[in-house]
Amino acid sequence: MEKSGSFLSSASTYCHPFGVPLHQWSMEDVGDFLTSLGFEAYVDRFIEHEIDGKALSLVKDHHLLMMLKLRLGPTLKICEQVSAIRNMEQYGTEDSPVQQY
């Protein structure tokens, strides 16, 4: 899917990164999302565990820590960004900005 370049524009207007809701992202989209956040080192783990957008929308920090063996810092940052996307989709407001780490 074609990406819009960033998750939020400079005017804080929501720009969906792949043109479809989070729960419709492919595993490749999830990999692109992780890469855009600077966590490309974790893409293979997400693919190995078949984490697509639906799974990503359901994932909790303990899943990433215990099952995927991610470190705490990246886990918290990924969960924050997923939460921000879900909030934007659900409420159209920015609770926490999506940012690159």
Side-chain angles (χ1 to χ4, degrees), residues 19-91:
V20 296
L22 175 63
H23 72 274
Q24 293 180 359
W25 289 6
S26 67
M27 287 189 297
E28 180 180 308
D29 293 334
V30 171
D32 290 345
F33 166 71
L34 294 170
T35 298
S36 75
L37 296 175
F39 298 124
E40 57 277 343
Y42 297 121
V43 171
D44 288 340
R45 293 184 201 181
F46 278 72
I47 291 171
E48 178 184 337
H49 288 272
E50 300 179 11
I51 306 293
D52 59 8
K54 177 66 174 175
L56 186 63
S57 70
L58 299 171
V59 78
K60 305 290 185 225
D61 58 359
H62 64 272
H63 297 126
L64 299 180
L65 289 166
M66 303 303 284
M67 301 303 293
L68 274 67
K69 306 291 187 201
L70 271 61
R71 297 184 63 90
L72 181 60
T75 293
L76 296 174
K77 293 170 185 175
I78 290 167
C79 287
E80 176 188 39
Q81 301 313 308
V82 170
S83 178
I85 291 170
R86 284 196 327 254
N87 287 335
M88 292 299 291
E89 289 180 349
Q90 187 171 4
Y91 304 112

